[in-house]
Amino acid sequence: MPPTGLRSFFLALGACLTAGSVAAQETVAVLEVAVPSQQSFILRGTIPVPINTFPRADGLMPFSVRDADGTVVPAQVEAVSHYPVAEHGCDVVEVLARVNAPSDVPPGNLYRYEILDATCTKAPPALTGIVRDVLSTPGMVTMHSKDPFGHSYELDLLHGQGGRKMLKRGREVRQVRHSGVLTPTQPVAGSNGTLPHLMGVHSYVTAFENEDVIAFDLRIHNAVVDADPGTPLDDPMADLYFDRIELRLPAGWLMLSDVSDPMLGGPGFNNGYTEVPLVLPNADGSMHFLPQQAQFQRRFVITTFDNISRARIILQERGLGFAQAGINSNNVRYFSWWNPDTARYFAQRQRLPDLDHIGQGSVRVELENKYSEYRHYLETGDTTPIYPLPHSTLGWARPWGNPYGGMTSGVEIHLYDGMDVAYGASNEGYRFHQLKHRMYSDRMADALFHLDGEPTTLSHWLIQGPNFPYVYMLFYQKILFGNDPFGFSFAPTFQADYVQQAGLRPSYQAELDGFEPIDLQHLGRYLNSAKILAWLGNDALAKDDILMQAEVGRLSYHSYPTESSGNTIVSGMLAARQLVDTHPHNGFSFGRGQAWIMDAMACAYSMGSSAWRNESREWFAQIVDLAHDGQILCSGMIQAEHNYHWLGGSHRARNSVEQAMVDNALWGVLESVHMGTDPEREVKLALTISRSAYGMIQYPAWDSIGKGPWAILAVAPLNYDEPAYC
């Protein structure tokens, strides 16, 4: 249907700079969305694209959108992930456009908006005056808390001390990440005084074109590290205790939360402000407890009282569409996760499976039921013993899974996830993973942030010794013992001591403290929902969580000594490198822990800045060389582990599941990092993966009766001086 009316004329004249030909307005993709109940809304969704699509040298946006009435509207385009070759640009982008709901499609039914190969100019969003005032005026949106002595602390969520990072800026949305810490409103010295700060906060703030709505995604944490000796604002704290966490909004504004958990309070009005408890006080007068390195998330919007219905559309992600497979009028496949030419899902750049044998309707119903079930558990604090939520609400937390971070089971150990969400174009499926990621994050007390909001990096802790650089700590997901460069062991404890002496510890403390972070050998349990939110929603909070876990992994597995003497941690890459140098092509300890570290790093590399990618390439080169040089050539096995649970500990062995994880992670490194950028390592890596894959399906690894690889296979004697089994 051709564009009609004055709106189309002005759009074509001023915004959409097409070449005027039919080809220039070809449909290259579609976004399928359940139609919201509002007439006008911001459609957004992620689309995998060919090389050199975005960014463009001329600065134009590469796409427009055909609205429901046939008019062509300009689209904002944002980066999601990148090709390995920097000059090739993005391989996945987010497309955003203001559209109208189709008049003949009832709300809740699916509708496909066409994405057109029609360039548009870039422009900032036309924010409403009331939103501009809130964003630009200090003190309009603040967070407040009190310590055990009753001292007050606050943080301006729009003007934090730590830093400001622009994440998205175009016609439809502007998103900025602010970071900072709650500081005392009136510092007090002495044993009953104030701390330098309470919790840290990352606020991801999104404003929308012509909407009286501001969206907030928050990460609240006790994980700043002492990266700058010149300021106390990043001094690490001991376990923190606080009475509540409260938001203060301008008069006439209210907060709407994505879920109403038991600790969320109702609004109050005080001195011209609206006050909303994000975490209510404990009914028994005890303090809340936030362990060292712990973190938790909240998602909400603020809006005016007469705009609630429109705000809910944004809050509930009702404009989120999903790329779908199909063929355009020129018999060309749409850009989608199912198109072999644009199959760019996760670090492995996987093509998603066709689920037509299940049916989109069945997939959507199953995801709706799953979302409804787990939202019920989160919102009500239902204590019905059911995995993965066998525990009740623990203050601000509802941790996902069993307390032991290395739970023995294949439950939720998936190499790929979210295929059903993408195929089903399921809003509820996407929001289920928001809930799951939130509840998993409640237990991930392994965060390490700088005051500017960035995760800490390995390079920050390198010390140049007289002979070589070293990293002076024994670290494997956390400081194990010994030197603590982060400063956690030197944090002031006088407030925590007072809480214990006064009997103010919360009843949930021991239970919450018993939850370990998901360990590196099972990290996929935490990563998968974050990866789904990143690749299907371009979610900035989830992308930063992936980056944090990548840095934790790199701090755990690197090639540097841990002392100036040259000593190193036995679980690190340097120890493995030294073993492989002494006994090349004889297998070594290289399994699921290294696999999930590689996967996190490859995902972070895919979505990372140019500076981060440049800085991390050496690590990837080292991991490729290590796997190649340690692989047993005659059998293709890489892992040769001495484990008393495997074959009675009588041989070094390979676990088929762990080797599959390693192969998958190496494939992610190949596709995300080395393809087309490093010919030597590309060949090495392809050869290593090929040998391992063939090793899985031939004698002696293949069980011809069971029609699959042996679960545990002896691959080498315990003595490294003896050759591997061939």
Side-chain angles (χ1 to χ4, degrees):
M1 179 177 177
T4 58
L6 287 174
R7 178 170 176 265
S8 305
F9 173 78
F10 284 113
L11 284 173
L13 181 65
C16 296
L17 306 177
T18 68
S21 66
V22 174
Q25 292 195 16
E26 183 177 35
T27 300
V28 295
V30 294
L31 286 176
E32 188 167 45
V33 63
V35 175
S37 57
Q38 294 291 333
Q39 164 71 29
S40 169
F41 66 96
I42 295 174
L43 170 74
R44 72 179 188 91
T46 61
I47 296 172
V49 295
I51 63 172
N52 298 324
T53 298
F54 179 79
R56 293 169 55 99
D58 57 13
L60 297 177
M61 299 292 99
F63 301 126
S64 300
V65 176
R66 192 179 303 284
D67 205 347
D69 63 0
T71 60
V72 177
V73 297
Q76 174 181 346
V77 179
E78 298 288 347
V80 178
S81 61
H82 308 269
Y83 281 97
V85 178
E87 291 74 19
H88 290 169
C90 293
D91 67 341
V92 182
V93 298
E94 180 185 18
V95 177
L96 309 96
R98 170 75 64 174
V99 298
N100 291 297
S103 59
D104 57 346
V105 178
N109 287 21
L110 293 174
Y111 182 80
R112 290 187 172 188
Y113 288 89
E114 297 178 19
I115 310 302
L116 306 178
D117 180 15
T119 56
C120 298
T121 55
K122 183 177 182 179
L127 304 182
T128 65
I130 191 171
V131 167
R132 287 200 307 270
D133 288 345
V134 170
L135 294 178
S136 61
T137 306
M140 295 293 271
V141 182
T142 54
M143 180 179 286
H144 300 261
S145 188
K146 290 184 179 180
D147 67 22
F149 298 123
H151 303 305
S152 296
Y153 298 72
E154 66 179 3
L155 171 67
D156 189 331
L157 294 181
L158 301 175
H159 302 84
Q161 327 92 327
R164 178 180 183 273
K165 183 178 182 180
M166 183 66 70
L167 300 173
K168 301 176 187 178
R169 189 173 186 270
R171 292 179 177 275
E172 306 306 333
V173 307
R174 188 189 78 168
Q175 185 178 60
V176 181
R177 187 192 71 196
H178 302 272
S179 65
V181 292
L182 274 72
T183 54
T185 55
Q186 186 174 350
V188 176
S191 59
N192 293 337
T194 54
L195 294 168
H197 61 82
L198 282 183
M199 60 283 294
V201 183
H202 302 152
S203 53
Y204 299 79
V205 182
T206 309
F208 307 87
E209 180 249 353
N210 288 329
E211 297 280 4
D212 289 338
V213 181
I214 304 173
F216 286 80
D217 298 333
L218 299 186
R219 180 188 297 102
I220 301 168
H221 64 86
N222 180 17
V224 291
V225 295
D226 195 8
D228 182 359
T231 175
L233 295 181
D234 71 350
D235 286 358
M237 295 295 103
D239 294 342
L240 286 176
Y241 293 90
F242 60 94
D243 73 332
R244 73 191 73 194
I245 297 177
E246 209 162 55
L247 288 179
R248 184 175 295 170
L249 313 175
W253 288 72
L254 77 161
M255 184 269 265
L256 303 172
S257 177
D258 64 336
V259 291
S260 299
D261 64 82
M263 275 290 158
L264 179 68
F269 307 96
N270 185 22
N271 295 325
Y273 290 96
T274 303
E275 294 181 341
V276 183
L278 271 184
V279 179
L280 285 164
N282 288 323
D284 61 3
S286 64
M287 294 289 105
H288 282 291
F289 166 66
L290 186 62
Q292 277 189 335
Q293 296 186 252
Q295 56 183 317
F296 62 98
Q297 302 172 1
R298 295 293 183 267
R299 297 178 188 264
F300 58 88
V301 298
I302 65 171
T303 189
T304 54
F305 284 93
D306 58 354
N307 196 50
I308 292 176
S309 60
R310 294 196 64 83
R312 289 197 189 280
I313 297 296
I314 293 171
L315 178 65
Q316 296 171 359
E317 304 280 6
R318 292 300 174 190
L320 180 63
F322 298 86
Q324 295 295 297
I327 299 175
N328 67 16
S329 59
N330 292 322
N331 205 33
V332 177
R333 291 176 185 260
Y334 292 150
F335 302 159
S336 78
W337 311 110
W338 296 269
N339 180 344
D341 296 326
T342 59
R344 309 293 299 174
Y345 194 66
F346 282 11
Q348 291 73 19
R349 289 357 192 226
Q350 180 64 32
R351 180 182 178 184
L352 294 191
D354 184 347
L355 300 181
D356 284 348
H357 60 289
I358 301 175
Q360 192 181 41
S362 297
V363 169
R364 288 175 60 81
V365 169
E366 182 178 351
L367 289 170
E368 288 167 7
N369 291 339
K370 184 186 291 187
Y371 170 70
S372 177
E373 177 184 6
Y374 287 102
R375 177 167 179 162
H376 161 79
Y377 283 113
L378 179 58
E379 290 194 328
T380 64
D382 191 333
T383 58
T384 303
I386 178 174
Y387 183 85
L389 299 174
H391 297 259
S392 62
T393 300
L394 305 176
W396 48 265
R398 187 75 196 266
W400 186 284
N402 290 336
Y404 175 41
M407 181 184 70
T408 303
S409 168
V411 173
E412 296 181 327
I413 302 295
H414 308 307
L415 299 184
Y416 299 96
D417 205 348
M419 299 87 75
D420 51 353
V421 178
Y423 171 82
S426 174
N427 170 279
E428 285 76 10
Y430 182 84
R431 292 170 69 198
F432 163 73
H433 284 286
Q434 286 183 326
L435 295 184
K436 184 179 176 184
H437 182 58
R438 164 182 164 153
M439 289 189 275
Y440 256 129
S441 294
D442 284 352
R443 64 177 300 157
M444 294 303 289
D446 65 349
L448 297 163
F449 291 110
H450 292 182
L451 187 60
D452 65 1
E454 294 296 321
T456 196
T457 62
L458 174 68
S459 59
H460 186 89
W461 306 103
L462 274 178
I463 299 172
Q464 184 58 53
N467 301 312
F468 44 74
Y470 63 100
V471 180
Y472 188 30
M473 62 175 129
L474 294 173
F475 185 96
Y476 195 80
Q477 194 168 20
K478 284 192 169 189
I479 293 285
L480 301 178
F481 53 84
N483 188 50
D484 171 19
F486 305 134
F488 287 116
S489 56
F490 307 107
T493 63
F494 64 93
Q495 288 199 358
D497 294 339
Y498 167 75
V499 168
Q500 181 177 5
Q501 294 161 7
L504 293 176
R505 284 184 170 182
S507 59
Y508 66 77
Q509 175 167 336
E511 200 170 357
L512 178 59
D513 215 19
F515 273 88
E516 300 173 348
I518 299 298
D519 68 22
L520 296 178
Q521 294 191 330
H522 302 83
L523 192 60
R525 290 192 174 114
Y526 179 60
L527 288 177
N528 271 1
S529 286
K531 292 193 289 187
I532 292 166
L533 300 179
W535 262 275
L536 297 183
N538 199 24
D539 184 82
L541 187 151
K543 291 169 82 169
D544 278 356
D545 286 336
I546 293 170
L547 178 59
M548 179 73 268
Q549 292 305 312
E551 292 293 6
V552 167
R554 184 159 56 158
L555 277 166
S556 302
Y557 201 73
H558 58 76
S559 62
Y560 296 102
T562 54
E563 293 181 352
S564 59
S565 63
N567 288 337
T568 187
I569 188 170
V570 296
S571 57
M573 187 196 296
L574 179 57
R577 182 72 251 181
Q578 291 169 344
L579 176 66
V580 167
D581 286 343
T582 307
H583 304 282
H585 299 300
N586 202 21
F588 65 108
S589 179
F590 198 72
R592 55 189 175 174
Q594 290 78 19
W596 289 120
I597 291 171
M598 287 190 286
D599 189 60
M601 284 288 291
C603 290
Y605 187 92
S606 300
M607 297 176 289
S609 66
S610 296
W612 193 90
R613 284 157 66 101
N614 290 337
E615 187 268 335
S616 64
R617 283 197 186 100
E618 181 183 6
W619 185 90
F620 285 107
Q622 292 168 344
I623 207 85
V624 170
D625 292 346
L626 178 64
H628 174 271
D629 298 346
Q631 185 175 39
I632 302 170
L633 297 180
C634 65
S635 67
M637 303 304 165
I638 303 173
Q639 185 184 44
E641 190 101 14
H642 181 215
N643 187 321
Y644 287 104
H645 299 290
W646 297 353
L647 308 177
S650 57
H651 307 266
R652 288 192 290 134
R654 184 274 289 136
N655 179 305
S656 62
V657 174
E658 294 201 27
Q659 191 61 57
M661 293 176 184
V662 167
D663 290 351
N664 183 68
L666 288 172
W667 187 263
V669 172
L670 175 63
E671 287 283 352
S672 297
V673 183
H674 292 302
M675 190 76 77
T677 65
D678 186 337
E680 177 189 352
R681 300 234 163 54
E682 183 178 338
V683 170
K684 268 187 178 182
L685 193 44
L687 184 59
T688 302
I689 296 169
S690 177
R691 285 173 177 158
S692 180
Y694 277 104
M696 278 278 207
I697 60 172
Q698 64 189 14
Y699 179 84
W702 189 260
D703 176 7
S704 58
I705 298 175
K707 306 301 182 184
W710 290 103
I712 307 295
L713 179 73
V715 297
L718 297 181
N719 187 346
Y720 274 90
D721 291 327
E722 297 179 20
Y725 303 144
C726 292

